[in-house]
Amino acid sequence: MTETPSRDTVDRVTRRRYIAGAGAVATVAVAGCSDDPEVGEDDGAGDDDGAGDDGTGNGGDADEGDLEIVHWWTAGGEEEAYNALLDGFREQHPDVEIVDNPAPGGAGSAIDTVIQNRVLDQNPPSTFQIWPGQALTPYTDEGLLEDIGDSVWDDEMREAYLDDIVELSRPGGDLVAVPINIHRLNNLFYNVDVLESADVDATDIDDPQGLMDALQAVDENTDAVPMAHQTQAPWSTLQLFEAVFLGQQGTDDYLSLVDGDVEGLEDEVREALELLAEYADYYPEDAGSISWDQGNDRLIEGEAAFLHQGDWAAGQYEGADGFEFGEDWEMVPFPGTDGVYHSVIDSFVFPTNNPSPEATEQFLNYAGTVDAQERFNPIKGSIPPRTDVPNDEFGPFLTRQIEDFDNSNTQPPTIAHGTAVAPAVQSELEEAFANFNDNRNVDTAYEAIRDAF
Ligand code: GAL
């Protein structure tokens, strides 16, 4: 029997790939996302963390020295995870006044513009949620994030973190971010009963085209929506395009794509878009007006069969009463992507001109601890970027995800969640997929993707 590689071994083996993708594009223009925040997600009201909670991420209510945190974790179980993190922090720092300031909207669809304006205006919050990697570059290029290489990243922390994740935290050289989780994006979740009624075995679906056949079977044999996909905001379709492309072509071509070789991959890009246009027949009728977690609710209720989504969707299942992993819901890697751990990472940063330097440093220090990552990740549906967090709290699904990560051949970065491309490119791609959601026009989408890179 071969020995299972440790997370560190896997990490070293695949490091070159990861960095190749993460360093793909050097565009640095500051660009806001074009889409509106999705409705349906919690508006952030009702928490007990004090002021600042106007649901926009704008500042205003924090006093000097208060820890103002801007984030978008208000949907489907994410708020509980975030609150668990704050509870842990409060236990260690009871004197710090936390001003919770969410800007709801899946994949940060509402946060970019407001944060960029605030940071550029030198009126930043104490810290904010951001993907490490290319998403940081508009800030690091302008020197708007403090180097926390000494103050926060001590030797103990560096040793404990996966090397790749440390690298993503310093796109400009200095360490500027503290990653707190690793989500997997290439999941295909499903409702077990619905698939049984449809006579579909998800483990038999070998490639993205096979998923099309399964969607057809669900449509013919049940009343359920085959795929609980949302198109209100474009990021979910962009990430589905990534999954289809990865499933059809594999990681090497995917990394060439994020490196910008769209023309060299024209046929492959078109092939993915064509299948994506066919999937769209099987989305909910109201896909254009629901959020990702509202789509996921339908899977939980047995009204939908499949969902392609990051494993934040599993965080929502954990919070749903009587909806058990294995019995009621399951997940297979998106067809064709076995051995791939398509990673989405969240982190917190220390903006310059910080309103609460002491509290911010305390919070970032805490976010990098075992305690923080052990509280946050099991609820969030993610796995820790530290290698020394005990597995006990992670439950069967996330324990399997940890094993899958350890055994994965590659962990490519994502476009839709900011690690692989700079915000300006991501923003143009989102616009391309917003249009594609409307018109399913492969030619126009191909040209827009080519131009975006
Ligand atoms: C991602 C983020 C996740 C989750 C998801 C859905 O971009 O990294 O933590 O919040 O969006 O909104």
Side-chain angles (χ1 to χ4, degrees):
M1 224 174 87
T2 51
E3 216 181 327
T4 305
S6 72
R7 296 180 71 187
D8 257 328
T9 318
V10 173
D11 173 48
R12 274 191 288 275
V13 171
T14 54
R15 174 183 180 139
R16 216 163 34 86
R17 285 178 179 285
Y18 209 144
I19 293 169
V25 178
T27 314
V28 293
V30 173
C33 287
S34 53
D35 51 300
D36 293 329
E38 296 148 279
V39 295
E41 295 179 352
D42 192 303
D43 67 356
D47 56 74
D48 58 2
D49 298 312
D53 188 358
D54 66 353
T56 66
N58 273 309
D61 296 325
D63 292 328
E64 195 77 17
D66 290 353
L67 181 73
E68 186 198 350
I69 308 176
V70 177
H71 64 95
W72 67 82
W73 286 325
T74 59
E78 300 190 305
E79 188 170 22
E80 285 81 23
Y82 172 73
N83 285 335
L85 176 71
L86 295 194
D87 288 346
F89 177 71
R90 278 199 198 91
E91 275 180 25
Q92 296 192 10
H93 300 283
D95 298 341
V96 173
E97 188 67 37
I98 299 174
V99 176
D100 180 47
N101 197 357
S109 44
I111 210 175
D112 289 27
T113 310
V114 68
I115 276 297
Q116 282 165 0
N117 288 341
R118 288 189 62 184
V119 175
L120 289 172
D121 288 352
Q122 287 286 280
N123 171 35
S126 305
T127 187
F128 58 94
Q129 176 193 351
I130 187 167
W131 307 297
Q134 289 296 304
L136 292 168
T137 56
Y139 304 104
T140 53
D141 287 351
E142 302 294 328
L144 293 169
L145 298 177
E146 292 283 351
D147 176 1
I148 50 171
D150 292 328
S151 54
V152 176
W153 279 96
D154 59 17
D155 289 347
E156 187 274 335
M157 204 167 131
R158 283 185 207 217
E159 289 272 297
Y161 265 72
L162 290 161
D163 292 344
D164 288 345
I165 307 288
V166 179
E167 290 308 315
L168 286 175
S169 310
R170 53 173 163 218
D174 294 340
L175 274 163
V176 295
V178 177
I180 189 162
N181 63 352
I182 305 173
H183 273 299
R184 186 182 198 176
L185 190 52
N186 58 319
N187 313 288
L188 184 64
F189 293 104
Y190 58 93
N191 181 301
V192 171
D193 285 345
V194 175
L195 258 64
E196 263 172 33
S197 310
D199 201 17
V200 168
D201 183 346
T203 60
D204 280 349
I205 308 174
D206 294 329
D207 55 23
Q209 183 59 47
L211 175 57
M212 186 62 202
D213 303 335
L215 297 176
Q216 268 161 354
V218 172
D219 192 43
E220 279 162 22
N221 300 338
T222 76
D223 292 333
V225 169
M227 200 172 195
H229 188 77
Q230 71 83 20
T231 59
Q232 184 188 40
W235 60 272
S236 293
T237 306
L238 174 54
Q239 72 181 25
L240 184 56
F241 165 77
E242 295 178 57
V244 170
F245 189 92
L246 264 171
Q248 288 176 331
Q249 312 301 340
T251 307
D252 287 346
D253 276 357
Y254 172 78
L255 290 177
S256 301
L257 182 70
V258 299
D259 266 337
D261 184 20
V262 184
E263 283 177 296
L265 292 160
E266 176 169 353
D267 291 347
E268 290 82 354
V269 170
R270 285 177 178 274
E271 190 184 336
L273 289 169
E274 270 152 24
L275 186 57
L276 205 53
E278 290 181 41
Y279 285 173
D281 284 338
Y282 297 104
Y283 301 163
E285 273 176 21
D286 59 353
S289 57
I290 58 171
S291 57
W292 71 265
D293 53 318
Q294 288 175 321
N296 205 22
D297 275 338
R298 304 210 177 142
L299 192 150
I300 294 171
E301 297 301 326
E303 293 162 10
F306 290 104
L307 175 73
H308 167 256
Q309 201 48 268
D311 45 14
W312 43 87
Q316 190 174 346
Y317 303 147
E318 295 303 325
D321 279 344
F323 195 61
E324 300 301 326
F325 172 60
E327 284 164 40
D328 303 306
W329 66 275
E330 250 293 1
M331 163 271 177
V332 289
F334 193 82
T337 67
D338 266 346
V340 177
Y341 211 94
H342 197 193
S343 305
V344 177
I345 298 146
D346 295 294
S347 66
F348 289 103
V349 289
F350 192 129
T352 56
N353 201 33
N354 204 282
S356 62
E358 201 184 329
T360 303
E361 191 176 310
Q362 287 167 338
F363 181 73
L364 294 180
N365 264 310
Y366 178 68
T369 62
V370 170
D371 187 67
Q373 295 182 18
E374 193 176 20
R375 287 171 189 257
F376 179 77
N377 286 289
I379 308 175
K380 187 66 168 65
S382 44
I383 66 174
R386 286 185 70 113
T387 53
D388 56 349
V389 177
N391 283 1
D392 320 5
E393 300 296 324
F394 280 80
F397 171 68
L398 284 176
T399 301
R400 194 176 79 187
Q401 294 287 72
I402 291 170
E403 281 165 20
D404 281 3
F405 183 92
D406 288 350
N407 294 322
S408 60
N409 305 317
T410 56
Q411 304 110 28
T414 78
I415 300 169
H417 302 272
T419 325
V421 301
V425 179
Q426 184 200 343
S427 187
E428 282 196 38
L429 289 169
E430 287 191 342
E431 208 176 310
F433 281 92
N435 291 331
F436 189 73
N437 279 335
D438 284 343
N439 59 26
R440 303 193 208 173
N441 187 317
V442 171
D443 291 332
T444 323
Y446 169 73
E447 281 158 26
I449 293 169
R450 184 197 57 204
D451 295 349
F453 282 100

